Structures are given as structure tokens and as C-alpha cells.
Amino acid sequence: MKDASVAPFFATLCAANPLPASELEYTTVFELLVAVLLSAQATDVGVNKATRRLFPVANTPQALLDLGREGVEAYIRTIGLYRMKARHLLETCRILVEQNGGEVPRDRAALESLPGVGRKTANVVLNVAFGEETMAVDTHIFRVSNRTGLAPGRNPLEVELKLLQRVPAEFREDAHHWLILHGRYVCVARTPKCWQCAVIQYCDYEPKTPPPR
């Protein structure tokens, strides 16, 4: 993608969706952290179904610890890798209670030190909860960034660093939302819906896919 195309690319996405938001459901920073931790290799829809049952019962680190492993697993067993996620979640809760007064830290290193919290999860929390200009590169953003030529890279970190360089400052806070939604609903994995794409004129992908007959 040409440098001159980057700003209008994001301006177009912004005009279509001025206030993008995560599709995960949460009301507190801790609920967001739990939801993102559970979302690895799972859909937001599936996570929301589980947390709608879990959060009314336990939505603080101590409350989850009080549920115990079997109690947490009972609420999240519909999510892939639920046993491992329950273990990580409880270990994270223990650290938050013992070392952070039950609060989610606003610090990348502290977030990434929590069990089950990698760079992508930390970026989501920093961006969505604290408004920091981070790029949480999931499979959708990785695909869109490479396919369009916006920020090609061999791995998520390369893509993340290129996005931080190329995305204009005025779009940086919301950019990862626009890219995720574009990849989830338009620039899909198997056959991108080029005939529905509002930013097709800025995209390097060839050949553009025609509408189905």
C-alpha cells in the first residue's frame, strides 16, 4: 500500500464506523482482562456466552479464587482449552490479589507477567481499558495487514511495529478495532469479499474477488 493511501484507508473505515469497540462484553477492566484471556483460539460470541453466566457470580479476582478451579471450569467449559484457561485465570487472580491489591496493572511488563497474558492480550487491555495507542495483532489484523500491503510482516510483532509506524496518529487509538472488524466481516480468510470492501481502491490484493453468482 502506498504511503499516500494509508490516511484515506483509515479515514474511510472511520467514516463507516466512527466509534468502533470490542465485541467482547465487559463492564470493568478486570472483566475485560478475563474476556480477552478466554478469547484465545475462541470466538467473541462463545466467550460472551460464558462470561454472561460467570460475571454475575464472580467478576473480581477474589471472587474467582473463591469459586476454585472446578467452579470456574463449570462456567467456561464451552470455550476451547477451558481447563488450561481456568488454571491461568486463577493464577492471574492470585497474583492480582497478592501483588496488585486486586487491580489490573497499567503496565505492559506487569500485564505480560500474568499467566495466560501475552503481548496481544496486554495490547488489548492497554488500548481498550486505558486508551493507549497499541496494536493487538490477532489473526484478522495479521491477514489484513499483509493482504492489503498496509503493514506486511512475517510474524505478529513485525506487523505490530509496522502498524505503529504507518498508522497516522489521529487513527492510532482505534486502528486495531477497524482492522479486526474489517478482517472478521469483509477481508475474510478464504475468499475476501472485495465486492463489499469500502477501501478496495487502496488495497494491494490481486486479483480482486468478484461477487458470487
Side-chain angles (χ1 to χ4, degrees):
M1 185 182 297
K2 296 177 181 178
D3 289 342
S5 296
V6 176
F9 174 90
F10 281 103
T12 302
L13 295 178
C14 177
N17 186 5
L19 297 172
S22 172
E23 294 187 328
L24 291 170
E25 297 173 359
Y26 66 95
T27 58
T28 67
V29 178
F30 177 70
E31 286 185 358
L32 173 65
L33 174 64
V34 172
V36 180
L37 191 153
L38 294 177
S39 70
Q41 299 182 48
T43 66
D44 288 358
V45 172
V47 171
N48 289 337
K49 286 181 179 178
T51 56
R52 283 173 200 154
R53 299 189 300 270
L54 174 64
F55 288 157
V57 175
N59 71 337
T60 66
Q62 187 60 59
L64 283 172
L65 288 171
D66 292 343
L67 274 182
R69 181 176 57 81
E70 291 184 359
V72 172
E73 286 181 358
Y75 286 99
I76 68 170
R77 65 174 64 252
T78 55
I79 298 174
L81 306 174
Y82 75 93
R83 287 192 177 91
M84 179 188 70
K85 290 177 181 179
R87 185 175 70 253
H88 286 162
L89 182 54
L90 289 170
E91 291 171 355
T92 285
C93 288
R94 179 183 56 78
I95 292 170
L96 292 178
V97 168
E98 293 178 356
Q99 301 179 19
N100 295 83
E103 299 295 322
V104 177
R106 184 176 180 169
D107 176 81
R108 176 184 297 283
L111 284 168
E112 291 188 29
S113 72
L114 298 171
V117 178
R119 187 176 182 89
K120 186 193 78 171
T121 299
N123 279 337
V124 173
V125 173
L126 290 170
N127 176 267
V128 176
F130 300 119
E132 297 194 14
E133 296 177 352
T134 61
M135 299 291 168
V137 179
D138 68 350
T139 55
H140 297 301
I141 292 183
F142 186 80
R143 178 176 65 256
V144 171
S145 296
N146 276 284
R147 182 182 277 164
T148 63
L150 172 64
R154 295 166 295 179
N155 55 61
L157 182 58
E158 281 190 11
V159 170
E160 176 188 336
L161 296 178
K162 285 187 178 180
L163 285 172
L164 289 172
Q165 290 178 338
R166 295 205 81 191
V167 178
E170 64 266 33
F171 301 119
R172 211 168 288 149
E173 185 174 340
D174 292 322
H176 101 268
H177 287 305
W178 287 315
L179 294 174
I180 286 173
L181 294 171
H182 191 63
R184 185 173 289 164
Y185 297 113
V186 180
C187 197
V188 295
R190 279 193 182 172
T191 306
K193 300 176 183 178
C194 296
W195 64 93
Q196 294 180 1
C197 182
V199 290
I200 189 171
Q201 69 194 92
Y202 310 115
C203 173
D204 288 350
Y205 179 71
E206 294 292 349
K208 302 294 193 291
T209 55
R213 294 181 178 180

